[in-house]
């Protein structure tokens, strides 16, 4: 019997994914984290980016965009508590492009009363969403 690990991806609003995987990749703060079944326990923050889940008997990965959150890894269970999580195929490219444009303008306007940390976080999220959309498109062709 193949080794599998159960993954739950949840946001404050809903359960986004719950199921068995052969392998999972998460956007860790220091880079991507690849997790196989029986991984050592781990607790870490994740940055905005794409979660890739290898579902048994499917060639293509399930892709989920997350805006950040906390990842807990146990040998047979992985739980990602995301600030925001959206299945990649549900992302809206036009909204992400507009969010990126607004964040870039906020960072450029030195005269405005801008919270630069917020603008940089919004820019990182928009860029991560656009990367997730690009990955989905690449996998569809």
């Amino acid at each position: 019997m193949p080794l599998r690990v159960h993954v739950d991806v949840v946001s404050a609003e809903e359960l986004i994914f719950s199921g068995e995987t052969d392998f999972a990749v998460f956007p860790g703060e220091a880079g991507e984290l690849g997790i196989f079944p029986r991984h050592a326990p781990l607790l870490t923050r994740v940055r905005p980016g794409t979660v890739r889940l290898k579902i048994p008997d499917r060639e293509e990965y399930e892709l989920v965009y997350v805006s950040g959150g906390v990842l807990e890894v146990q040998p047979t269970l992985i739980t990602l508590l995301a600030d925001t999580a959206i299945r990649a195929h549900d992302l809206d490219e036009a909204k992400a492009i507009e969010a990126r444009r607004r964040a870039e303008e906020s960072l450029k306007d030195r005269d405005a009363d801008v919270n630069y940390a917020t603008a940089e976080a919004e820019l990182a999220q928009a860029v991560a969403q656009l990367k997730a959309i690009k990955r989905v498109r690449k996998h569809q062709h």
Side-chain angles (χ1 to χ4, degrees), residues 68-98:
V70 177
L71 177 69
E72 178 187 15
V73 176
Q74 294 295 326
T76 61
L77 175 64
I78 300 170
T79 304
L80 175 58
L81 303 172
D83 300 330
T84 301
I86 305 167
R87 287 184 184 260
H89 63 271
D90 292 334
L91 288 171
D92 185 326
E93 184 176 23
K95 284 183 183 176
I97 290 170
E98 177 61 19

Side-chain angles (χ1 to χ4, degrees), residues 25 45 49:
V25 179
R45 290 179 34 189

Side-chain angles (χ1 to χ4, degrees), residues 106 109-114 116:
S106 292
D109 189 0
R110 298 282 181 196
D111 296 331
D113 184 22
V114 173
Y116 288 98

Side-chain angles (χ1 to χ4, degrees), residues 28-50:
E29 284 190 310
E32 289 192 330
L33 294 166
I35 310 291
F36 282 99
R38 296 187 181 167
H39 193 285
L42 168 72
L43 184 63
T44 187
R45 290 179 34 189
V46 295
R47 62 179 164 71
T50 305

Side-chain angles (χ1 to χ4, degrees), residues 7-141:
V7 176
D8 289 329
V9 178
V10 297
S11 72
E13 295 86 30
E14 64 184 315
L15 175 66
I16 302 297
F17 176 87
S18 180
E20 298 296 309
T21 63
D22 294 325
F23 176 67
V25 179
F26 299 91
E29 284 190 310
E32 289 192 330
L33 294 166
I35 310 291
F36 282 99
R38 296 187 181 167
H39 193 285
L42 168 72
L43 184 63
T44 187
R45 290 179 34 189
V46 295
R47 62 179 164 71
T50 305
V51 173
R52 297 189 317 261
L53 305 168
K54 176 63 179 94
I55 309 301
D57 304 319
R58 279 189 22 201
E59 279 189 40
E60 291 159 10
Y61 282 78
E62 177 75 25
L63 303 175
V64 178
Y65 163 78
V66 295
S67 64
V70 177
L71 177 69
E72 178 187 15
V73 176
Q74 294 295 326
T76 61
L77 175 64
I78 300 170
T79 304
L80 175 58
L81 303 172
D83 300 330
T84 301
I86 305 167
R87 287 184 184 260
H89 63 271
D90 292 334
L91 288 171
D92 185 326
E93 184 176 23
K95 284 183 183 176
I97 290 170
E98 177 61 19
R100 180 181 65 187
R101 185 193 64 73
R102 281 193 317 270
E104 287 172 343
E105 284 182 7
S106 292
L107 289 170
K108 285 180 189 173
D109 189 0
R110 298 282 181 196
D111 296 331
D113 184 22
V114 173
N115 180 332
Y116 288 98
T118 300
E120 285 178 351
E122 289 170 356
L123 179 59
Q125 288 184 29
V127 169
Q129 284 185 17
L130 291 168
K131 284 181 182 178
I133 290 167
K134 186 176 180 179
R135 274 195 172 142
V136 168
R137 287 194 178 142
K138 186 165 69 172
H139 288 288
Q140 289 175 346
H141 293 95

